[in-house]
Amino acid sequence: MYAWRPNDSRFVFHTYCLSCLFFLPHGVHLFCFHYVLTDLLQLQGKEKFLSILHRYMEIHGTVYYETQRPPEVPGFVKNHGLLPQQELQQLLKKAKLFIGFGFPYEGPAPLEAIANGCIFLQPKFKPSHSSLNHEFFRGKPTSRQVSSQHPYAEQYIGRPHVITVDFNNSQEFDAAILEIMRTKVEPFLPYEYTCEGMLERVHAYIQNQEFCSPEALFPSANASKNWLGRPPGPFVHFPNSSSLVWAPNISAPSSWPPLSALQLLASLEGQSCVDACQSTGLICEPAFYRFINIMEAFSGLKMQCESMETEMNHIYPAFSVERGECALQKDPLLFSCAGANAKYRRLCPCRDYRKGQVALCRDC
């Protein structure tokens, strides 16, 4: 939750928010929660969506203000002011809809609403928000692309609890509201957000990771022939797939997650490793980059390297189709699943995961 600090251009955490409570006929409640910046900037341009909602239901809000009603709040919204957390929780328990208008990214409020039995309706970003096209990310040291307000909820929860639509398409938005009105859901809390799930995850982190010594880089081909074996190195093809896995007859160096979970694949040109792994039902695992940052990974994926370079670039290791050039990562601190380049196919270290416990692979 953000607000402007007086006489300062920096953000600070502050409970400055807008919530909208929608009442359907017959006492069925819909609730939306929406964080705003100073002057309620997030409401600007949203009158169209609120008007669509108002066609079906009465709208109530809990918009914070000190002296008078904010002019950005439409007249058909009955505002109750800022409510204590306990009363807000009670509204969520009675509610059906929790709607996001695009900010903040990946906040806890949608998860809290889903856990209280709400359906979360959020915008899909076309194109995805990043430092290249959105002011919030501009200047930040990240090349991550955010596909919706809450990508976790979109990918790992999904329908019927989470509906992600293009808010610029009024017909799609209207259809989503009608779908929500017809849909009944029970409160849902992903296992990884339960106390048991959290303790399982922390236990796995502590028991399996080495914190007392630096992580050694994987040896190069010239340094250790025994580690790499014969071409295509330590990798073999995954059955009925173009991806590679660690060869069972090659001793696996110490790693967590274990290398048995690794699936190495090449992205499309202009595709990030996040998207490449997701397209095959996997997630990108940065801890595996040190094992695939070798030239044998290129030959295993049938990439013909006319030349090889080692540079500092967050999209490396990667292959330039146009030049036939393979590039390895020089700085391990730059290993990143995010980022893409239209001229390169990236090498992507993917892994499987447990449903409801994304942080852990199936063999972890």
Side-chain angles (χ1 to χ4, degrees), residues 68-90:
Q68 60 183 3
R69 179 189 180 93
E72 293 82 4
V73 180
F76 51 77
V77 175
K78 181 180 179 182
N79 188 35
H80 300 275
L82 189 62
L83 294 178
Q85 181 68 14
Q86 187 174 3
E87 294 184 31
L88 195 59
Q89 287 286 332
Q90 292 303 314

Side-chain angles (χ1 to χ4, degrees), residues 25 36 46 87 89 91 108 113 170 178 186 196 258 282 310 317 323 330 336 363:
V36 297
K46 304 301 190 299
E87 294 184 31
Q89 287 286 332
L91 288 179
S170 58
L178 292 174
E186 297 297 326
E196 182 181 351
L282 305 170
T310 303
R323 301 194 303 269
K330 184 177 182 179
S336 173
D363 294 332

Side-chain angles (χ1 to χ4, degrees), residues 191-205:
Y191 174 72
E192 53 202 327
Y193 284 95
T194 64
C195 291
E196 182 181 351
M198 181 273 293
L199 290 173
E200 179 187 45
R201 190 164 58 253
V202 171
H203 176 267
Y205 289 160

Side-chain angles (χ1 to χ4, degrees), residues 47-328:
E47 298 86 353
K48 181 178 180 180
F49 307 121
L50 291 175
S51 297
I52 292 176
L53 291 168
H54 186 53
R55 281 194 237 139
Y56 302 103
M57 60 199 75
E58 205 175 287
I59 303 177
H60 291 237
T62 57
V63 183
Y64 172 77
Y65 62 95
E66 293 183 355
T67 56
Q68 60 183 3
R69 179 189 180 93
E72 293 82 4
V73 180
F76 51 77
V77 175
K78 181 180 179 182
N79 188 35
H80 300 275
L82 189 62
L83 294 178
Q85 181 68 14
Q86 187 174 3
E87 294 184 31
L88 195 59
Q89 287 286 332
Q90 292 303 314
L91 288 179
L92 287 171
K93 292 180 186 300
K94 299 175 183 177
K96 186 175 180 68
L97 169 66
F98 187 93
I99 185 169
F101 285 132
F103 192 86
Y105 303 105
E106 302 173 303
L111 299 173
E112 189 174 11
I114 294 167
N116 279 286
C118 296
I119 294 174
F120 176 48
L121 176 64
Q122 66 165 342
K124 176 177 285 295
F125 301 144
K126 294 183 177 181
S128 296
H129 289 182
S130 70
S131 59
L132 299 178
N133 62 14
H134 202 272
E135 193 61 35
F136 179 83
F137 294 104
R138 202 176 308 280
K140 293 181 172 66
T142 178
S143 55
R144 187 180 178 217
Q145 298 178 330
V146 181
S147 60
S148 62
Q149 182 174 341
H150 207 295
Y152 170 87
E154 176 187 8
Q155 182 181 357
Y156 299 113
I157 300 179
R159 276 180 160 86
H161 302 279
V162 179
I163 298 178
T164 306
V165 299
D166 181 5
F167 277 25
N168 293 319
N169 186 328
S170 58
Q171 290 183 337
E172 187 176 351
F173 183 86
D174 199 27
I177 298 300
L178 292 174
E179 177 185 348
I180 290 168
M181 292 173 66
R182 295 191 301 263
T183 303
K184 182 179 180 181
V185 298
E186 297 297 326
F188 175 71
L189 181 65
Y191 174 72
E192 53 202 327
Y193 284 95
T194 64
C195 291
E196 182 181 351
M198 181 273 293
L199 290 173
E200 179 187 45
R201 190 164 58 253
V202 171
H203 176 267
Y205 289 160
I206 294 174
Q207 292 296 316
N208 294 288
Q209 295 187 93
E210 174 58 64
F211 299 100
C212 299
S213 60
E215 198 173 58
L217 288 177
F218 186 68
S220 66
N222 294 330
S224 180
K225 295 290 185 182
N226 293 331
W227 279 110
L228 297 174
R230 298 179 178 179
F235 309 111
V236 294
H237 280 282
F238 190 69
N240 302 318
S241 172
S242 59
S243 63
L244 303 176
V245 295
W246 192 265
N249 62 332
I250 301 292
S251 297
S254 176
S255 170
W256 195 85
L259 280 171
S260 60
L262 168 65
Q263 290 190 40
L264 169 62
L265 56 84
S267 75
L268 301 176
E269 292 175 84
Q271 186 181 42
S272 72
C273 284
V274 172
D275 293 335
C277 293
Q278 285 182 358
S279 68
T280 58
L282 305 170
I283 64 171
C284 184
E285 177 52 69
F288 286 153
Y289 266 111
R290 65 192 180 106
F291 301 110
I292 70 164
N293 192 45
I294 53 176
M295 60 185 184
E296 284 76 13
F298 294 100
S299 58
L301 291 170
K302 303 189 183 305
M303 295 177 176
Q304 302 299 319
C305 301
E306 300 296 332
S307 63
M308 177 76 70
E309 65 174 14
T310 303
E311 300 289 345
M312 295 172 59
N313 191 310
H314 69 286
I315 68 166
Y316 291 171
F319 174 70
S320 172
V321 178
E322 181 181 333
R323 301 194 303 269
E325 182 180 85
C326 297
L328 297 174

